[in-house]
Amino acid sequence: MCGFFSIYSPNKIDSIIINKARESSKSMFARGPDDDFEYIDDNYASFFYRLAIRDLTNKSRQPFVSKSKNYIISFNGEIYSFNDNKSKQNLYSSDTIQLANLIDKYGEDSFEKIRGMFAICLYDIKNKKVTITRDSLGIKPLFYADLIVNGSKLFIFSSTQRAITDFMKFQLDDKQIFRYLKMGISCDKQNTFFKGMHRLEPGTKLVVNYKGELVNKNLKTNLSKINKNLNNKYYEEEHREKIYKIFKEHLIADIPVSTTISGGIDSSFLSCFAANESDTKSFTLDSDLFKSESDELSSIKNFKNLTISKIKTNNENIPLIIRKIVNLIKSPFANSSWIFQFQLFEKIKSINDCKVLLVGEGADEIYSGYRRMLYPYLLRIESEFGLEHVKKLSANYISFMGINENKILENYSKFRFNLNKETDYECQNFDRISIEKNPMTSYERYMPKSSYLGEQNIYYKNMLLRYLSRSDIPSTLEILDSISMDNSIELRVPYLDLDLISYVFSLDSKYHFKNGFNKFILRDAAKILPEDIRWRKNKKQRPSATYEVMKNFCFKDMIGLLKRDNKYFDSDKARNYFCHDMQSSENNNASFWFRIYTFMIFLDLNQSK
């Protein structure tokens, strides 16, 4: 929806600082090219760039002054429902104005009464304090820094890291860097790759008072408060009614809403639902490096009101695209699929004036779409029905897993054995090139620990929560927001709606892989889809071609970067192992080397600054 850059100080802010903040904010112009505006007083300044989606007039111009004149509101995102009777009646009007009225009525407690994707910076003029908050999934980004400038405290609140680094240079955070290098994890902690710059944790609020003191609190809607003890029975119509309501709310806009689509059930369901509501343009990826997603869409190409366009990616400038993404997100990234997603958004913007896209992110995480989720599920089944029942069930998942029954049981046995180990990370390639035997960051666990077979329904839900709160979803959302908003496109993620997540978590987890199908209850809800998409067992992966990218497009650049020494790993060893691994089309550790490659670019960009 937009981008904002705000600064606050308990003391009067010098005009030079304000001008510097204004200049720094301009890097987020693409997030809001429709309008820019600012609010400035002695202690606070906010610079806002608007992407107009709901209420296309300037009545919703931000920073927004509330009716009481007590509050200045900078708000990025969309609010789909207000837990207030008066606000509910105006759901389709400006959510900015509704939010301001709610804040006038309830103050900071308003943040407990809204549902949607949002990052909010609220300035209380009378009490000279700032409160920032963020939705429970962290769909919209929000970063802050606590600085001393010219002897005075200065706080920065920003939609992007880039604007903050334009304002001031920061040292790199070695602990976060080693965590990324060892495990490929980023974006799920308060700390960023820069010392002193933080991301506000999802589902929290941070208050900075007139003394410059910081107080952080969890919202009642924080994911940690989800009830995992419920084991309700699954009812098909109840679930379908819930998901249809949420899909419809995510279509609220005063401009057309489009979708991205693959051959998978998540995006196909969304796209066909949107087409049932109104004419819908949908976009799918095509590339010479992987099988076209459009190959899986033949059965819905003639779906009423749905127009599917194929977007062809360009392989010529992949190293430059990677550099652009790294500079945009101010972070290395571990998945080569973002190269193609970036091009998708770039080309959608160039051929179609699209401002809003519905995407299917989150469905795999809440409905159990990944192959590695099967083993915790079998643990859940074993706890109730015994190991012999698991052995009988395993044959049902051969098609989904792509391996035979004996291999499924072997992997399950290994999973159970690793349940209480300090780490279950199988990829420890960083140890081959590490300078220190025990660098400052240890390998963590991917799955939760557990030693209580009787509590495996809770264990399974804890596992799902880890996908939502640790690495997977946080990094996906942060990168998606950056690369889409850089093309002035707002992404909406209906599957990550808090009401839907709470509902799915209220169900007994035994339904997740029912009858041999992953995402069983989502498939069950998607009656509008053709049967071949709805009940296809093989998992549709996000388009990627990591080995081809590293060997055919980035090899020379990688070698050049690895000729430079750095303090994080042995460059000579890395160069030798990389050359060796790239000689094999199998067991080449391409994902690990892509992780190292984007880090070296990140290091290069920040050392040369």
Side-chain angles (χ1 to χ4, degrees):
M1 176 185 173
C2 64
F4 61 79
F5 188 89
S6 304
I7 57 174
Y8 169 76
S9 177
N11 303 315
K12 184 175 180 179
I13 305 174
D14 189 277
S15 61
I16 295 174
I17 298 297
I18 290 174
N19 288 333
K20 188 175 182 181
R22 182 185 291 113
E23 286 302 308
S24 300
S25 75
K26 291 179 180 178
S27 64
M28 62 177 76
F29 173 79
R31 297 184 67 92
D34 295 330
D35 184 39
D36 61 275
F37 200 56
E38 60 187 52
Y39 170 88
I40 299 171
D41 70 15
D42 286 350
N43 302 96
Y44 181 76
S46 186
F47 306 92
F48 197 91
Y49 298 86
R50 184 186 180 205
L51 186 67
I53 293 171
R54 292 168 70 176
D55 182 10
L56 305 184
T57 72
N58 62 6
K59 291 180 181 178
S60 297
R61 169 180 263 185
Q62 297 187 57
F64 190 88
V65 183
S66 71
K67 191 179 292 185
S68 68
K69 310 293 185 188
N70 290 331
Y71 300 101
I72 306 298
I73 301 155
S74 296
F75 154 54
N76 173 25
E78 303 290 343
I79 296 174
Y80 303 119
S81 69
F82 294 80
N83 188 17
D84 180 70
N85 290 332
K86 185 177 179 181
S87 295
K88 282 181 182 177
Q89 298 169 5
N90 300 310
L91 187 60
Y92 287 82
S93 65
S94 165
D95 52 347
T96 302
I97 295 173
Q98 290 181 77
L99 175 62
N101 291 339
L102 201 69
I103 289 170
D104 268 345
K105 189 174 179 181
Y106 297 107
E108 290 174 22
D109 290 344
S110 302
F111 303 147
E112 307 284 4
K113 299 177 179 292
I114 56 178
R115 196 187 96 250
M117 56 176 193
F118 55 83
I120 300 169
C121 183
L122 177 67
Y123 177 49
D124 182 332
I125 300 174
K126 182 179 178 181
N127 294 303
K128 298 294 180 187
K129 71 173 182 176
V130 175
T131 304
I132 59 173
T133 192
R134 194 175 175 209
D135 67 78
S136 300
L137 275 296
I139 300 170
K140 303 309 290 181
L142 185 50
F143 304 95
Y144 68 95
D146 176 3
L147 310 173
I148 300 293
V149 179
N150 298 333
S152 296
K153 280 193 173 186
L154 183 73
F155 299 89
I156 301 176
F157 316 100
S158 175
S159 298
T160 69
Q161 293 186 68
R162 183 179 176 182
I164 300 179
T165 58
D166 285 348
F167 183 86
M168 178 171 286
K169 187 173 181 179
F170 293 80
Q171 292 183 335
L172 298 181
D173 188 326
D174 289 351
K175 186 174 182 180
Q176 298 307 313
I177 285 173
F178 277 117
R179 188 169 183 256
Y180 170 82
L181 290 173
K182 295 188 77 169
M183 293 171 285
I185 302 174
S186 61
C187 307
D188 64 334
K189 296 289 186 183
Q190 183 182 25
N191 292 335
T192 66
F193 285 95
F194 299 97
K195 285 184 178 179
M197 189 197 303
H198 310 283
R199 59 176 56 81
L200 183 67
E201 294 187 40
T204 67
K205 67 178 180 181
L206 178 70
V207 179
V208 183
N209 66 20
Y210 71 97
K211 296 179 181 179
E213 300 167 332
L214 284 76
V215 179
N216 198 307
K217 295 181 180 179
N218 283 350
L219 298 178
K220 293 176 183 177
T221 54
N222 190 283
L223 276 183
S224 64
K225 300 183 183 298
I226 281 186
N227 190 344
K228 295 169 287 191
N229 294 301
L230 298 175
N231 295 305
N232 294 339
K233 188 176 179 181
Y234 164 69
Y235 293 100
E236 175 187 338
E237 287 302 323
E238 179 184 67
H239 175 234
R240 187 175 295 113
E241 183 179 328
K242 171 70 71 174
I243 202 168
Y244 276 19
K245 174 180 178 291
I246 286 164
F247 281 4
K248 196 163 186 175
E249 288 172 342
H250 282 72
L251 289 169
I252 296 171
D254 293 331
I255 56 175
V257 177
S258 301
T259 70
T260 58
I261 189 168
S262 67
I265 186 173
D266 317 333
S267 58
S268 298
F269 188 16
L270 263 180
S271 298
C272 290
F273 179 88
N276 275 343
E277 297 294 309
S278 63
D279 289 345
T280 299
K281 293 180 180 178
S282 195
F283 302 94
T284 189
L285 267 173
D286 187 24
S287 174
D288 295 332
L289 296 181
F290 49 78
K291 185 180 177 183
S292 172
E293 294 185 300
S294 62
D295 295 344
E296 309 285 347
L297 298 170
S298 57
S299 60
I300 59 172
K301 281 183 178 177
N302 296 318
F303 198 91
K304 187 178 179 182
N305 300 328
L306 182 65
T307 303
I308 301 175
S309 299
K310 189 188 296 186
I311 303 295
K312 185 72 178 272
T313 61
N314 186 335
N315 304 325
E316 293 178 5
N317 299 313
I318 284 178
L320 291 177
I321 293 170
I322 293 172
R323 273 176 163 72
K324 187 170 184 178
I325 295 172
V326 170
N327 191 45
L328 185 65
I329 66 177
K330 291 299 174 185
S331 164
F333 59 100
N335 195 319
S336 66
S337 67
W338 298 122
I339 301 166
F340 309 106
Q341 294 293 313
F342 180 84
Q343 291 186 71
L344 175 69
F345 300 137
E346 196 173 48
K347 293 194 176 186
I348 287 173
K349 190 62 183 176
S350 67
I351 65 174
N352 186 72
D353 189 21
C354 171
K355 287 186 179 181
V356 185
L357 281 174
L358 296 189
V359 296
E361 265 64 29
D364 282 324
E365 285 75 15
I366 71 166
Y367 286 112
S368 302
Y370 298 122
R371 289 171 176 165
R372 56 185 174 267
M373 291 175 164
L374 177 64
Y375 304 114
Y377 175 78
L378 293 177
L379 189 67
R380 156 72 184 92
I381 296 302
E382 182 186 354
S383 69
E384 184 172 353
F385 302 104
L387 184 58
E388 288 303 313
H389 189 69
V390 168
K391 291 178 180 178
K392 291 177 183 177
L393 276 183
S394 59
N396 294 338
Y397 303 105
I398 292 172
S399 178
F400 168 60
M401 296 296 287
I403 53 178
N404 63 38
E405 182 181 353
N406 288 336
K407 189 64 178 176
I408 291 173
L409 291 173
E410 180 187 328
N411 289 347
Y412 175 59
S413 178
K414 186 187 296 184
F415 165 76
R416 291 177 84 254
F417 180 77
N418 289 331
L419 272 174
N420 288 298
K421 286 189 172 183
E422 287 304 309
T423 181
D424 54 357
Y425 266 82
E426 295 183 1
C427 175
Q428 299 188 9
N429 281 313
F430 183 73
D431 293 348
R432 295 194 295 171
I433 62 174
S434 176
I435 297 172
E436 298 179 32
K437 195 169 185 180
N438 297 302
M440 63 176 68
T441 303
S442 301
Y443 286 101
E444 302 169 11
R445 285 192 59 86
Y446 196 87
M447 298 284 186
K449 273 189 175 183
S450 178
S451 57
Y452 303 101
L453 273 176
E455 299 180 3
Q456 292 316 319
N457 189 48
I458 294 177
Y459 175 85
Y460 192 83
K461 292 178 181 180
N462 277 330
M463 181 269 297
L464 295 178
L465 271 179
R466 281 176 76 85
Y467 277 93
L468 295 174
S469 60
R470 180 188 178 275
S471 184
D472 294 72
I473 281 297
S475 61
T476 293
L477 291 174
E478 193 165 302
I479 296 171
L480 270 177
D481 178 86
S482 296
I483 63 179
S484 61
M485 290 299 287
D486 191 56
N487 291 289
S488 307
I489 298 173
E490 175 186 271
L491 297 192
R492 297 182 179 181
V493 282
Y495 292 112
L496 291 177
D497 185 279
L498 187 61
D499 273 8
L500 182 60
I501 293 171
S502 298
Y503 173 78
V504 172
F505 270 74
S506 74
L507 303 175
D508 192 315
S509 58
K510 68 183 179 183
Y511 298 106
H512 279 245
F513 281 91
K514 189 177 177 181
N515 298 338
F517 288 94
N518 66 326
K519 294 191 279 197
F520 173 81
I521 60 176
L522 180 61
R523 296 174 189 272
D524 204 35
K527 279 190 172 180
I528 61 175
L529 287 181
E531 295 296 288
D532 68 312
I533 293 179
R534 188 182 178 203
W535 297 109
R536 183 187 297 136
K537 281 194 174 183
N538 57 316
K539 169 80 176 94
K540 181 71 179 178
Q541 305 291 334
R542 186 194 294 276
S544 177
T546 308
Y547 176 66
E548 290 80 3
V549 165
M550 291 308 300
K551 182 175 176 60
N552 299 327
F553 300 97
C554 302
F555 187 90
K556 184 178 179 180
D557 192 33
M558 176 69 150
I559 294 297
L561 290 167
L562 290 177
K563 287 180 179 177
R564 307 175 191 178
D565 290 332
N566 70 83
K567 68 178 184 178
Y568 301 102
F569 58 83
D570 188 317
S571 295
D572 290 335
K573 279 186 180 180
R575 190 169 65 253
N576 291 333
Y577 277 121
F578 173 66
C579 291
H580 174 269
D581 287 354
M582 288 299 103
Q583 291 175 11
S584 172
S585 59
E586 298 180 4
N587 303 318
N588 49 53
N589 301 306
S591 294
F592 170 72
W593 291 118
F594 184 82
R595 181 198 311 171
I596 298 297
Y597 178 55
T598 64
F599 169 72
M600 292 301 292
I601 290 173
F602 171 77
L603 199 60
D604 183 50
L605 290 173
N606 285 282
Q607 285 183 339
S608 61
K609 190 171 180 179

